[in-house]
Amino acid sequence: MENSLTQTLQALADPTRRKILQMLGERNLSAGDIGAAFDMKAPSISHHLTVLKNAGLVLAERQGQNIVYSLNTTVMQEFMQEMRQLFRVGENGNA
Amino acid sequence: MENSLTQTLQALADPTRRKILQMLGERNLSAGDIGAAFDMKAPSISHHLTVLKNAGLVLAERQGQNIVYSLNTTVMQEFMQEMRQLFRVGENGNA
DNA sequence: TAGATATTTAGCCAATCATCTAAATACAAA
DNA sequence: TTTGTATTTAGATGATTGGCTAAATATCTA
C-alpha cells in the first residue's frame, strides 16, 4: 500500500477498476458481488481489487466467508488535491 | 486525438509526462527545451509528447525549425470535471 | 471432519509500453 | 543547393499488464 501519484493514476487508468470504484460508491460489496458485474473470471477481479488496494483507493475487510471492499475516501480526496496542484498552472503567486 | 478518460489517465500515469505538463504550465516550450530537462534521448521525449497530444492534453505548433508545445487547459478542465464525477460518491440526489 | 463456497496466489501468455538506435523529414543558413 | 539543426518515424527489445487456468487458503455447515 505504497500510494504514489503514479500508482494511483495507473490504478485509475483502467475502465474495470473505475467501474469498481463507482459500484463501491453506492455501497460496500464483496469480491463476489463485484465479480458478478463483469464478464471476467474471479482471479482477474481479484487482481484488479489488489491493484486498487495497493493504490490505497479501497479497503478490504473479511466478513465471514466474504471479503468486503469499501472506498478509502480519504485517499481519494488526497489524490484530487494532488491533481489540482498538478493542473494549477503557472500561478507564480500560489501557496 | 481521441480523448477518452482512459486515454487521459494513461497519459497522466507517467512521471515524465506529468513533469512535462508542469513545465508547460510555466511557459510554452519546444520539444528540444523539454528534452533538455530529461536524461532521455529525443525520440523518447517525442513519444511522450505524442501521447500527451493524442490525449488532448497539449497542443503543438511549428515555429520555424522548432515545434512549440503548450497546455490544452480546456481538456484539463474537462478531465478534472470527469474525475470529480467519478469520485462524487453515492450522492443519489446529484445533478 | 468432510464437503461446499469465496477468494486469493502462482504461473502462463499475448498485448502494450518505454526506451533505444538508425533513418527520414522539415526548416534555416551558408 | 549543400550542410546543419530540430524533430519525428520506423523498428527492435526488455518490462509491465491484464486476462486465463489450476491450485491453494479460509470459512461455513452438515
Side-chain angles (χ1 to χ4, degrees):
Chain A
M1 304 196 188
E2 190 185 292
N3 193 17
S4 65
L5 184 51
T6 295
Q7 195 179 20
T8 307
L9 283 162
Q10 278 171 347
L12 291 170
D14 179 284
T16 299
R17 292 194 287 263
R18 288 199 303 279
K19 185 171 174 192
I20 290 173
L21 291 178
Q22 281 186 310
M23 291 170 64
L24 292 178
E26 296 299 324
R27 71 189 68 81
N28 297 351
L29 294 167
S30 70
D33 291 338
I34 294 167
F38 296 90
D39 185 18
M40 200 179 288
K41 301 292 179 180
S44 303
I45 295 296
S46 181
H47 160 70
H48 284 303
L49 290 170
T50 298
V51 172
L52 290 169
K53 199 169 45 180
N54 287 343
L57 290 165
V58 306
L59 301 169
E61 183 196 4
R62 180 172 281 279
Q63 284 182 15
Q65 220 160 344
N66 301 320
I67 296 184
V68 174
Y69 285 85
S70 58
L71 293 183
N72 189 343
T73 52
T74 304
V75 169
M76 285 165 53
Q77 299 298 330
E78 288 168 1
F79 165 74
M80 283 304 278
Q81 188 55 39
E82 289 185 274
M83 290 307 292
R84 272 188 289 273
Q85 278 177 6
L86 175 62
F87 281 177
R88 195 173 332 267
V89 145
E91 287 179 5
N92 53 336
N94 59 0
Chain B
M1 305 198 185
E2 190 185 294
N3 192 17
S4 65
L5 184 51
T6 296
Q7 197 180 19
T8 307
L9 283 162
Q10 277 171 349
L12 292 169
D14 179 283
T16 298
R17 291 194 288 262
R18 287 198 305 278
K19 186 172 172 192
I20 290 173
L21 292 179
Q22 282 186 311
M23 291 169 65
L24 293 178
E26 296 299 325
R27 70 188 68 82
N28 296 352
L29 294 168
S30 71
D33 291 338
I34 294 167
F38 296 92
D39 185 17
M40 200 177 288
K41 301 293 179 180
S44 303
I45 296 296
S46 181
H47 160 70
H48 285 303
L49 290 170
T50 298
V51 172
L52 289 169
K53 200 170 43 180
N54 288 343
L57 290 165
V58 306
L59 301 168
E61 183 196 3
R62 179 173 281 278
Q63 283 182 15
Q65 220 162 346
N66 302 321
I67 295 184
V68 175
Y69 285 86
S70 58
L71 293 184
N72 188 343
T73 53
T74 305
V75 169
M76 285 165 53
Q77 298 298 331
E78 288 168 2
F79 165 74
M80 283 304 277
Q81 188 55 40
E82 289 185 274
M83 291 306 292
R84 274 189 287 274
Q85 278 177 4
L86 175 62
F87 281 177
R88 188 164 348 257
V89 144
E91 288 178 5
N92 52 336
N94 60 356

